[in-house]
Short mmCIF file of all heavy atoms in Angstrom, two decimals:
data_model
loop_
_atom_site.label_atom_id
_atom_site.label_comp_id
_atom_site.label_asym_id
_atom_site.label_seq_id
_atom_site.Cartn_x
_atom_site.Cartn_y
_atom_site.Cartn_z
N ALA A 15 109.13 47.56 54.60
CA ALA A 15 108.16 48.38 55.28
C ALA A 15 108.45 49.85 55.25
O ALA A 15 107.59 50.68 55.07
CB ALA A 15 108.05 47.91 56.75
N LEU A 16 109.79 50.22 55.33
CA LEU A 16 110.15 51.59 55.24
C LEU A 16 109.87 52.17 53.84
O LEU A 16 109.66 53.37 53.69
CB LEU A 16 111.65 51.78 55.56
CG LEU A 16 112.05 51.66 57.03
CD1 LEU A 16 113.56 51.63 57.13
CD2 LEU A 16 111.44 52.72 57.85
N GLY A 17 109.87 51.32 52.86
CA GLY A 17 109.60 51.72 51.49
C GLY A 17 108.15 52.15 51.27
O GLY A 17 107.81 52.75 50.26
N ARG A 18 107.29 51.84 52.24
CA ARG A 18 105.86 52.21 52.13
C ARG A 18 105.53 53.42 52.97
O ARG A 18 104.35 53.73 53.19
CB ARG A 18 105.00 51.04 52.55
CG ARG A 18 105.11 49.84 51.65
CD ARG A 18 104.11 48.78 51.99
NE ARG A 18 104.29 48.24 53.34
CZ ARG A 18 104.79 47.06 53.60
NH1 ARG A 18 105.19 46.27 52.60
NH2 ARG A 18 104.92 46.65 54.83
N THR A 19 106.55 54.14 53.50
CA THR A 19 106.28 55.31 54.34
C THR A 19 106.63 56.58 53.60
O THR A 19 107.03 56.53 52.43
CB THR A 19 107.15 55.22 55.63
OG1 THR A 19 108.50 55.34 55.27
CG2 THR A 19 106.89 53.95 56.38
N LYS A 20 106.52 57.69 54.31
CA LYS A 20 106.94 58.98 53.71
C LYS A 20 108.41 59.03 53.40
O LYS A 20 108.86 59.83 52.59
CB LYS A 20 106.61 60.13 54.72
CG LYS A 20 105.15 60.35 54.88
CD LYS A 20 104.94 61.49 55.89
CE LYS A 20 103.47 61.70 56.16
NZ LYS A 20 103.25 62.79 57.15
N LEU A 21 109.19 58.16 54.04
CA LEU A 21 110.63 58.12 53.81
C LEU A 21 111.04 57.20 52.66
O LEU A 21 112.22 56.99 52.45
CB LEU A 21 111.33 57.59 55.09
CG LEU A 21 111.12 58.43 56.37
CD1 LEU A 21 111.74 57.71 57.54
CD2 LEU A 21 111.73 59.80 56.21
N ALA A 22 110.09 56.69 51.93
CA ALA A 22 110.37 55.67 50.86
C ALA A 22 111.46 56.12 49.94
O ALA A 22 112.41 55.35 49.70
CB ALA A 22 109.08 55.37 50.11
N GLN A 23 111.37 57.30 49.37
CA GLN A 23 112.41 57.76 48.40
C GLN A 23 113.76 57.84 49.04
O GLN A 23 114.73 57.43 48.44
CB GLN A 23 111.98 59.09 47.80
CG GLN A 23 112.82 59.51 46.61
CD GLN A 23 112.77 58.56 45.45
OE1 GLN A 23 111.70 58.07 45.08
NE2 GLN A 23 113.90 58.25 44.86
N SER A 24 113.80 58.37 50.26
CA SER A 24 115.11 58.52 50.93
C SER A 24 115.73 57.14 51.26
O SER A 24 116.93 56.96 51.06
CB SER A 24 114.92 59.25 52.27
OG SER A 24 114.44 60.55 52.03
N VAL A 25 114.91 56.20 51.67
CA VAL A 25 115.41 54.85 51.97
C VAL A 25 115.97 54.15 50.74
O VAL A 25 117.07 53.63 50.73
CB VAL A 25 114.30 53.95 52.60
CG1 VAL A 25 114.73 52.53 52.71
CG2 VAL A 25 113.94 54.50 54.00
N HIS A 26 115.24 54.29 49.62
CA HIS A 26 115.66 53.64 48.38
C HIS A 26 116.86 54.39 47.78
O HIS A 26 117.76 53.73 47.24
CB HIS A 26 114.51 53.55 47.39
CG HIS A 26 113.42 52.60 47.83
ND1 HIS A 26 113.69 51.28 48.06
CD2 HIS A 26 112.12 52.80 48.12
CE1 HIS A 26 112.56 50.70 48.50
NE2 HIS A 26 111.62 51.57 48.50
N ASP A 27 116.90 55.69 47.94
CA ASP A 27 118.04 56.45 47.45
C ASP A 27 119.33 56.07 48.18
O ASP A 27 120.40 56.02 47.56
CB ASP A 27 117.83 57.97 47.59
CG ASP A 27 116.90 58.52 46.56
OD1 ASP A 27 116.61 57.81 45.58
OD2 ASP A 27 116.46 59.67 46.66
N ALA A 28 119.20 55.83 49.47
CA ALA A 28 120.36 55.52 50.27
C ALA A 28 120.82 54.10 50.03
O ALA A 28 121.94 53.75 50.39
CB ALA A 28 120.02 55.75 51.76
N GLY A 29 120.00 53.27 49.36
CA GLY A 29 120.39 51.89 49.15
C GLY A 29 120.61 51.15 50.48
O GLY A 29 121.68 50.53 50.65
N TRP A 30 119.66 51.27 51.36
CA TRP A 30 119.82 50.77 52.73
C TRP A 30 120.33 49.30 52.79
O TRP A 30 121.27 49.02 53.48
CB TRP A 30 118.51 50.92 53.52
CG TRP A 30 118.68 50.69 54.94
CD1 TRP A 30 118.48 49.54 55.64
CD2 TRP A 30 119.18 51.62 55.93
NE1 TRP A 30 118.75 49.66 56.96
CE2 TRP A 30 119.19 50.94 57.19
CE3 TRP A 30 119.61 52.92 55.85
CZ2 TRP A 30 119.64 51.57 58.34
CZ3 TRP A 30 120.03 53.54 57.04
CH2 TRP A 30 120.04 52.87 58.22
N SER A 31 119.67 48.44 52.08
CA SER A 31 120.08 47.02 52.11
C SER A 31 121.50 46.85 51.63
O SER A 31 122.27 46.08 52.24
CB SER A 31 119.14 46.19 51.23
OG SER A 31 117.85 46.18 51.74
N GLN A 32 121.91 47.53 50.60
CA GLN A 32 123.26 47.46 50.08
C GLN A 32 124.28 47.96 51.12
O GLN A 32 125.35 47.44 51.29
CB GLN A 32 123.36 48.21 48.76
CG GLN A 32 124.73 48.00 48.07
CD GLN A 32 124.95 46.58 47.63
OE1 GLN A 32 124.02 45.82 47.36
NE2 GLN A 32 126.21 46.17 47.60
N SER A 33 123.88 49.07 51.78
CA SER A 33 124.76 49.65 52.81
C SER A 33 125.04 48.64 53.94
O SER A 33 126.15 48.52 54.41
CB SER A 33 124.18 50.93 53.38
OG SER A 33 124.07 51.90 52.37
N VAL A 34 123.97 47.99 54.34
CA VAL A 34 124.13 46.99 55.45
C VAL A 34 124.99 45.84 54.96
O VAL A 34 125.88 45.38 55.68
CB VAL A 34 122.72 46.47 55.91
CG1 VAL A 34 122.87 45.31 56.87
CG2 VAL A 34 121.93 47.60 56.54
N SER A 35 124.82 45.38 53.75
CA SER A 35 125.64 44.32 53.22
C SER A 35 127.11 44.73 53.18
O SER A 35 128.01 43.94 53.51
CB SER A 35 125.20 43.92 51.83
OG SER A 35 123.89 43.40 51.84
N MET A 36 127.37 45.96 52.76
CA MET A 36 128.80 46.44 52.70
C MET A 36 129.38 46.52 54.11
O MET A 36 130.58 46.15 54.27
CB MET A 36 128.82 47.83 52.04
CG MET A 36 128.61 47.80 50.60
SD MET A 36 128.70 49.50 49.97
CE MET A 36 128.35 49.26 48.28
N LEU A 37 128.63 46.96 55.07
CA LEU A 37 129.10 47.01 56.43
C LEU A 37 129.49 45.63 56.97
O LEU A 37 130.52 45.44 57.59
CB LEU A 37 128.10 47.66 57.36
CG LEU A 37 127.99 49.18 57.38
CD1 LEU A 37 126.85 49.64 58.23
CD2 LEU A 37 129.31 49.80 57.87
N GLU A 38 128.62 44.64 56.64
CA GLU A 38 128.89 43.30 57.08
C GLU A 38 130.16 42.78 56.45
O GLU A 38 131.00 42.19 57.12
CB GLU A 38 127.73 42.40 56.70
CG GLU A 38 126.73 42.18 57.78
CD GLU A 38 125.64 41.23 57.36
OE1 GLU A 38 124.87 41.54 56.42
OE2 GLU A 38 125.49 40.16 58.01
N CYS A 39 130.34 43.03 55.16
CA CYS A 39 131.51 42.59 54.44
C CYS A 39 132.78 43.22 55.01
O CYS A 39 133.78 42.57 55.18
CB CYS A 39 131.34 42.89 52.95
SG CYS A 39 132.71 42.32 51.91
N LYS A 40 132.73 44.53 55.25
CA LYS A 40 133.90 45.22 55.79
C LYS A 40 134.27 44.73 57.17
O LYS A 40 135.44 44.61 57.47
CB LYS A 40 133.65 46.74 55.85
CG LYS A 40 133.42 47.38 54.53
CD LYS A 40 134.77 47.73 53.88
CE LYS A 40 134.51 48.52 52.59
NZ LYS A 40 135.69 48.85 51.89
N ALA A 41 133.25 44.43 57.98
CA ALA A 41 133.50 43.91 59.31
C ALA A 41 134.27 42.61 59.24
O ALA A 41 135.23 42.42 60.00
CB ALA A 41 132.19 43.76 60.07
N VAL A 42 133.83 41.71 58.38
CA VAL A 42 134.51 40.42 58.24
C VAL A 42 135.95 40.64 57.75
O VAL A 42 136.92 40.09 58.26
CB VAL A 42 133.75 39.52 57.24
CG1 VAL A 42 134.57 38.29 56.87
CG2 VAL A 42 132.42 39.10 57.84
N ARG A 43 136.11 41.52 56.75
CA ARG A 43 137.44 41.79 56.15
C ARG A 43 138.44 42.28 57.20
O ARG A 43 139.62 41.90 57.19
CB ARG A 43 137.32 42.80 55.05
CG ARG A 43 138.66 43.13 54.39
CD ARG A 43 138.60 44.18 53.33
NE ARG A 43 137.77 43.68 52.23
CZ ARG A 43 137.27 44.47 51.31
NH1 ARG A 43 137.52 45.78 51.30
NH2 ARG A 43 136.56 43.97 50.31
N TYR A 44 137.95 43.17 58.11
CA TYR A 44 138.86 43.76 59.08
C TYR A 44 138.79 43.12 60.47
O TYR A 44 139.30 43.68 61.44
CB TYR A 44 138.60 45.28 59.18
CG TYR A 44 138.93 45.97 57.90
CD1 TYR A 44 137.95 46.41 57.03
CD2 TYR A 44 140.25 46.23 57.49
CE1 TYR A 44 138.25 47.03 55.81
CE2 TYR A 44 140.58 46.79 56.31
CZ TYR A 44 139.55 47.24 55.48
OH TYR A 44 139.87 47.86 54.30
N GLY A 45 138.18 41.94 60.53
CA GLY A 45 138.14 41.18 61.78
C GLY A 45 137.27 41.77 62.88
O GLY A 45 137.53 41.57 64.04
N ARG A 46 136.27 42.52 62.49
CA ARG A 46 135.36 43.13 63.45
C ARG A 46 134.08 42.27 63.60
O ARG A 46 133.76 41.47 62.69
CB ARG A 46 134.94 44.51 62.99
CG ARG A 46 136.04 45.51 62.89
CD ARG A 46 136.59 45.82 64.23
NE ARG A 46 137.57 46.92 64.12
CZ ARG A 46 137.90 47.66 65.12
NH1 ARG A 46 137.44 47.40 66.30
NH2 ARG A 46 138.79 48.57 64.98
N THR A 47 133.39 42.48 64.65
CA THR A 47 132.11 41.78 64.84
C THR A 47 130.98 42.66 64.36
O THR A 47 130.90 43.83 64.76
CB THR A 47 131.93 41.45 66.35
OG1 THR A 47 133.02 40.65 66.77
CG2 THR A 47 130.60 40.72 66.57
N PHE A 48 130.11 42.12 63.56
CA PHE A 48 128.91 42.85 63.08
C PHE A 48 127.69 42.09 63.51
O PHE A 48 127.53 40.90 63.20
CB PHE A 48 128.97 42.96 61.55
CG PHE A 48 127.79 43.72 60.96
CD1 PHE A 48 127.89 45.12 60.83
CD2 PHE A 48 126.65 43.09 60.60
CE1 PHE A 48 126.81 45.83 60.33
CE2 PHE A 48 125.55 43.81 60.12
CZ PHE A 48 125.67 45.17 59.94
N THR A 49 126.83 42.73 64.28
CA THR A 49 125.61 42.07 64.72
C THR A 49 124.40 42.94 64.45
O THR A 49 124.55 44.18 64.39
CB THR A 49 125.63 41.71 66.21
OG1 THR A 49 125.89 42.91 66.96
CG2 THR A 49 126.69 40.66 66.52
N LYS A 50 123.28 42.32 64.25
CA LYS A 50 122.01 43.05 64.09
C LYS A 50 121.18 42.74 65.32
O LYS A 50 121.13 41.62 65.79
CB LYS A 50 121.28 42.57 62.84
CG LYS A 50 121.97 42.86 61.55
CD LYS A 50 121.17 42.34 60.37
CE LYS A 50 121.92 42.48 59.08
NZ LYS A 50 121.18 41.90 57.99
N VAL A 51 120.54 43.79 65.81
CA VAL A 51 119.58 43.59 66.89
C VAL A 51 118.17 43.68 66.37
O VAL A 51 117.91 44.25 65.32
CB VAL A 51 119.74 44.62 68.04
CG1 VAL A 51 121.11 44.48 68.70
CG2 VAL A 51 119.57 46.05 67.55
#
């Protein structure tokens, strides 16, 4: 949905989905809790 807004280029440039996946992976690696609301 964000990809269809004025922020589309910024969202895709930032690789939002990949960033979230990396955060999840790092949390598991370092024994942290990662949750999405």
Side-chain angles (χ1 to χ4, degrees):
L16 286 173
R18 294 188 298 254
T19 66
K20 292 180 183 178
L21 300 174
Q23 189 62 42
S24 299
V25 169
H26 292 300
D27 283 348
W30 191 263
S31 294
Q32 187 64 29
S33 297
V34 172
S35 296
M36 286 181 184
L37 280 173
E38 265 183 298
C39 182
K40 295 278 186 180
V42 170
R43 180 183 296 166
Y44 294 105
R46 299 290 188 161
T47 303
F48 182 88
T49 56
K50 294 180 188 175
V51 295

